[in-house]
Amino acid sequence: MSVVCDLKDLWKQFLDLVQNKCSSTEFDNWFSPIKILTQKDDILVLQVPNIFVREYILDNYREDLLALFSDGLQNNLPIEFKITTQTTIKKVAISPPPIKPLKLHSHNLNKNYTFENFIEGPSNQFVKSAAIGIAAHPGKSYNPFIIHGGVGLGKSHLLHSIGHAIQRNSKNIRILCITTEEFINDLVHNLKNKSMDQMKRFYRNLDVLLIDDIQFLQNRLNFEDELCNTFEALINQHKQIVITSDKPPSCLQLSERLVARMEWGLVANVCVPDLETRVAIIQHKAEQKNLLIPNEVAFYIAEHIYINVRQIEGAINRLCAFCRLMNFSLTLEVVEKILAEILHKNPQKKVTVEHILKAVSNVFEIRIHDIKGDSRLKKIALARQIAMFLAKEYLEDSLQKIATSFGGKTHSTVLHAWKKITTQISCNEVLKKQVQIIKKALTG
Ligand code: ADP
Ligand code: MG
């Protein structure tokens, strides 16, 4: 067998290995665009769309590549990455009219929302490293970059971190970080004042646009076109756009044009952090407030509040206030007392797959055995999909593990169920109520 064939085969083996190791979104985003170009002097030449992909692969998979491609004695990879050359835009000879210095609304960047303060764990590793990469090469890699996930899981934190990192690298760059609500207000104001030209000029001359909570556009569809036009104008100029959303783009009730535009870039998900990450977040937040928090207390909080990091922060603020005012030192008994009210108002018992199956079984009056089975009867299939949706929302387990607890389904079945129920909840009031009832039974 020739060397060419060997290296190509090895690359294919590597892709198989990676595909089993990472999520399908990660694979589609980072590995699918890579093409085998050729083999040159015993080197495999791969074409990557940008430098960011190369860095990502080498940062995260160097060990795996070395294990496959080198003889174990040397550290050199017989792989060369060729970056697709971008078509250069011809400069127009006539210079555009000078733009007035922009008064950016002081960027609106929260000074605490930096990458350094964002604690990493398996639930957010991919999205954080993508965010860091995008901040290092704004407009040069994935555009737009979409961060989606549940409430209080760090979407805005990452959005602002990207802003800070870009600003640190280049002081003169024009960054605007704005919520969708603020964008709409700006639009209404400019429509009223007949100053749309000015607004368009302002937005289209930004270098980086960071938009928070795009889901709020769902009820304000009149404004969708202007935002979409702004996105297109910026993307065409290779200006970076980052958007956060509480759902994946395909589950948002927005126009096909806007959804397609969003899906064109990189879509990444922040999930509920696991216990160890929550403990690390608690310790980090306490340290920032000069609060000494014993390990057992950190674990206690992490075990009792686990769906929303913002609530964890609320608990720490409360502890901090009590310690300062009452001069307490934090023992487990004291903490239990202080947090009793939060935990009582917002009881968060640990949910298991058995609890979910039982609750769904009660509400739908379907046997657990059937929910876990293969019946395609409409009522049973719906109950199963709701149970899978809740399992993905509440459990820290991998999709694969959840799939196994449902009588050996595949992880893509769980993902499909989650997407379907997420979309349907937003337009089907009955389903929304049913899910609320089950959620109440689970956490109440
Ligand atoms: P979202 O926008 O997803 O609703 P935020 O970004 O506002 O959530 O995060 C809520 C709070 O939780 C913020 O104060 C943020 O700093 C904190 N937070 C969330 N995830 C992390 C993390 N991984 N590390 C540190 N702080 C976090
Ligand atoms: Mg937010």
Side-chain angles (χ1 to χ4, degrees):
M1 209 190 295
S2 71
V3 177
V4 187
C5 196
D6 279 344
L7 290 178
K8 284 184 179 172
D9 281 351
L10 282 176
W11 176 250
K12 283 182 189 137
Q13 275 181 35
F14 168 69
L15 289 182
D16 284 343
L17 189 125
V18 170
Q19 203 156 15
N20 287 329
K21 225 170 152 174
C22 68
S23 70
S24 55
T25 318
E26 182 179 357
F27 190 85
D28 289 346
N29 287 327
W30 299 101
F31 296 96
S32 300
I34 304 175
K35 291 196 180 72
I36 297 178
L37 264 191
T38 171
Q39 177 265 341
K40 180 178 85 178
D41 305 331
D42 298 349
I43 287 188
L44 182 67
V45 186
L46 299 174
Q47 180 179 307
V48 290
N50 50 53
I51 191 172
F52 181 32
V53 171
R54 184 187 71 188
E55 283 174 14
Y56 177 82
I57 308 270
L58 291 177
D59 278 355
N60 294 283
Y61 292 91
R62 182 183 278 278
E63 295 300 316
D64 297 309
L65 283 168
L66 278 172
L68 266 176
F69 280 85
S70 82
D71 53 13
L73 299 174
Q74 48 183 3
N75 247 356
N76 295 335
L77 275 175
I79 298 181
E80 186 185 314
F81 290 94
K82 256 208 147 79
I83 293 155
T84 324
T85 43
Q86 291 195 347
T87 41
T88 45
I89 305 163
K90 274 195 189 159
K91 286 235 168 83
V92 188
I94 316 153
S95 50
I99 304 150
K100 274 195 235 150
L102 291 173
K103 266 207 185 140
L104 297 184
H105 319 153
S106 69
H107 296 163
N108 300 338
L109 294 177
N110 180 324
K111 71 175 175 25
N112 293 319
Y113 288 1
T114 60
F115 285 132
E116 294 73 25
N117 286 336
F118 191 83
I119 306 297
E120 199 175 305
S123 61
N124 58 36
Q125 224 153 26
F126 173 68
V127 59
K128 183 178 176 187
S129 70
I132 292 175
I134 278 159
H137 309 281
K140 303 246 160 21
S141 46
Y142 287 99
N143 209 4
F145 175 42
I146 315 290
I147 303 171
H148 71 89
V151 178
L153 296 183
K155 301 181 296 296
S156 300
H157 189 136
L158 283 169
L159 186 77
H160 288 233
S161 303
I162 294 174
H164 283 299
I166 295 178
Q167 201 181 26
R168 216 177 293 149
N169 290 341
S170 129
K171 291 273 174 274
N172 294 324
I173 213 156
R174 284 183 294 242
I175 305 175
L176 180 67
C177 182
I178 192 167
T179 63
T180 304
E181 213 57 44
E182 287 167 331
F183 178 85
I184 294 173
N185 291 343
D186 217 6
L187 194 54
V188 171
H189 172 80
N190 283 285
L191 281 167
K192 264 194 201 150
N193 291 328
K194 301 198 170 32
S195 49
M196 276 308 292
D197 279 354
Q198 211 179 323
M199 176 173 175
K200 280 185 183 159
R201 207 134 49 100
F202 172 81
Y203 277 89
R204 283 159 208 198
N205 282 300
L206 292 168
D207 297 307
V208 178
L209 176 60
L210 309 171
I211 294 245
D212 211 358
D213 290 327
I214 193 94
Q215 71 273 10
F216 289 117
L217 200 62
Q218 290 178 118
N219 307 322
R220 319 288 297 271
L221 295 178
N222 299 349
F223 304 110
E224 211 182 359
D225 273 350
E226 187 48 39
L227 193 60
C228 202
N229 292 341
T230 308
F231 285 172
E232 285 180 356
L234 290 175
I235 289 174
N236 289 340
Q237 300 174 71
H238 303 285
K239 306 295 179 64
Q240 185 68 50
I241 295 175
V242 185
I243 301 169
T244 71
S245 164
D246 69 346
K247 302 180 197 69
S250 59
C251 297
L252 288 166
Q253 289 187 306
L254 294 173
S255 71
E256 265 178 40
R257 176 184 169 211
L258 188 52
V259 170
R261 179 51 84 195
M262 287 165 76
E263 286 186 323
W264 202 36
L266 177 64
V267 179
N269 181 212
V270 247
C271 305
V272 175
D274 61 8
L275 181 69
E276 280 72 30
T277 314
R278 293 199 300 277
V279 170
I281 293 175
I282 291 165
Q283 279 160 341
H284 180 80
K285 300 271 177 201
E287 212 176 285
Q288 281 183 320
K289 293 182 181 303
N290 286 327
L291 180 71
L292 253 176
I293 203 156
N295 254 346
E296 58 171 358
V297 170
F299 267 92
Y300 176 82
I301 303 171
E303 271 167 358
H304 286 80
I305 308 179
Y306 59 92
I307 292 172
N308 179 334
V309 180
R310 196 173 293 135
Q311 283 176 355
I312 291 182
E313 240 179 340
I316 294 171
N317 289 341
R318 197 178 165 95
L319 293 179
C320 213
F322 266 86
C323 287
R324 299 255 149 80
L325 294 171
M326 316 293 280
N327 225 356
F328 281 149
S329 61
L330 287 184
T331 61
L332 199 52
E333 291 75 43
V334 169
V335 171
E336 276 176 19
K337 259 195 208 133
I338 300 174
L339 295 187
E341 203 186 318
I342 296 185
L343 297 175
H344 178 68
K345 252 200 263 163
N346 202 346
Q348 306 205 348
K349 23 177 228 222
K350 185 88 186 148
V351 177
T352 63
V353 75
E354 285 73 27
H355 292 142
I356 295 174
L357 287 166
K358 196 159 172 231
V360 174
S361 156
N362 286 342
V363 171
F364 281 86
E365 296 176 339
I366 291 174
R367 290 182 312 158
I368 292 180
H369 177 77
D370 291 331
I371 300 178
K372 286 165 87 172
D374 295 317
S375 165
R376 288 177 184 268
L377 267 177
K378 211 170 163 192
K379 191 175 170 196
I380 299 180
L382 177 67
R384 183 180 305 126
Q385 287 180 327
I386 291 178
M388 286 178 171
F389 162 82
L390 291 166
K392 177 159 161 27
E393 292 282 300
Y394 282 112
L395 307 180
E396 290 164 12
D397 299 342
S398 66
L399 285 177
Q400 194 51 59
K401 192 157 176 221
I402 294 175
T404 313
S405 357
F406 278 82
K409 307 280 185 304
T410 65
H411 81 284
S412 56
T413 310
V414 179
L415 198 60
H416 171 75
W418 177 74
K419 276 193 181 161
K420 191 173 157 200
I421 301 299
T422 309
T423 319
Q424 289 190 350
I425 281 178
S426 48
C427 51
N428 180 337
E429 278 302 315
V430 177
L431 182 71
K432 191 171 162 184
K433 264 259 132 42
Q434 284 170 325
V435 171
Q436 272 169 358
I437 293 169
I438 303 169
K439 278 189 171 175
K440 210 161 182 184
L442 287 171
T443 55

